[in-house]
Amino acid sequence: MAQRTPFVGGNWKMNLDLARSTALASESGGVAAACGTVDVAIFPPFPYLAKVVEVLRGSPIRVGGQDCSSEKSGAFTGQVSAGMLVDVGCSAVLIGHSERRHGLGETDAVLAHKLGRALEAGLLPIVCVGETLEERESGRAHDVIRTQLRGTLAGQSPSPGSLVIAYEPVWAIGTGRTATPDDAEEAHRTVRQTLADLYDVRFSESVRVIYGGSVNAKSAAELFAREEIDGGLVGGASLLAEDFAVIVAAASAKGKARR
Ligand code: 13P
């Protein structure tokens, strides 16, 4: 059985305000207690990062940015560098979330630069890949996953522990429509096979591949029961402290079983 420690991320997206962000972070005691058998990170909006870091000081829960710039510094109005995230106490970052790939037109080439910046700054990047509904229905889902992975990882030689891959089918994000465990597991196999081709089998078997797309307190245990699914990247349900704790507990149970 794989020794990979499960990983759960809570992507708050553009939700909450400062007061509710700090309140939600301070309600994460149960989640923190599970850390060890599961790694947990939360991704608040940029303006709230420093405050959330302060609330979680001493907690094993990582705080991360939802994006970083492909540039190191300079005249890039509105952008936030990987170094700035580290400076305010972040240790993780989302790279290539579909709301940036599809919503903002970020290409694999841009994302490869972002990934490079994140790795060189010492952040744990969560590299997101996933197909649209149209791509799935036309039978291209696995090609899209392979192309996005190859493009985003181009030129990088990460160690398997230095990043996490998130498979997030676009059609399952925020729709309440979760991929079936079979579909998710099949996509995760494609991720691992691509990583084995790019690096080697040891790499592909050591790296964590997590699922995102309408994961909730009800669906988490069934998804995480699959050998290939090492946890989840959670949107809506991460805004509810109790639901997020249930999801983390499901991943923690898997972590315990793997020991
Ligand atoms: P939902 O869990 O709200 O579908 O969002 C998933 C996601 O995009 C996490 O990054």
Side-chain angles (χ1 to χ4, degrees), residues 51-73:
K51 190 69 188 172
V52 169
V53 165
E54 195 184 307
V55 171
L56 290 179
R57 202 166 298 288
S59 162
I61 300 174
R62 291 173 184 265
V63 180
Q66 296 175 13
D67 176 48
C68 70
S69 176
S70 57
E71 303 291 340
K72 211 164 182 170
S73 65

Side-chain angles (χ1 to χ4, degrees), residues 9-13 43 94 97-99 128 166 168-170 172-177 211-216 232-239:
N11 177 8
W12 293 0
K13 306 192 179 184
F43 300 89
L94 301 181
H97 192 279
S98 73
E99 285 148 18
C128 306
E168 295 207 303
V170 178
I173 294 176
T175 58
R177 185 176 162 190
Y211 167 79
S214 298
V215 176
N216 58 38
L233 186 55
V234 186
S238 72
L239 302 172

Side-chain angles (χ1 to χ4, degrees), residues 35-112:
C35 290
T37 46
V38 56
D39 292 337
V40 180
I42 54 172
F43 300 89
F46 285 138
Y48 309 146
L49 284 172
K51 190 69 188 172
V52 169
V53 165
E54 195 184 307
V55 171
L56 290 179
R57 202 166 298 288
S59 162
I61 300 174
R62 291 173 184 265
V63 180
Q66 296 175 13
D67 176 48
C68 70
S69 176
S70 57
E71 303 291 340
K72 211 164 182 170
S73 65
F76 301 101
T77 302
Q79 299 199 36
V80 173
S81 72
M84 289 170 178
L85 293 177
V86 172
D87 199 22
V88 295
C90 290
S91 62
V93 65
L94 301 181
I95 300 287
H97 192 279
S98 73
E99 285 148 18
R100 301 199 63 91
R101 283 183 186 272
H102 299 285
L104 297 170
E106 291 190 355
T107 62
D108 288 332
V110 167
L111 296 172

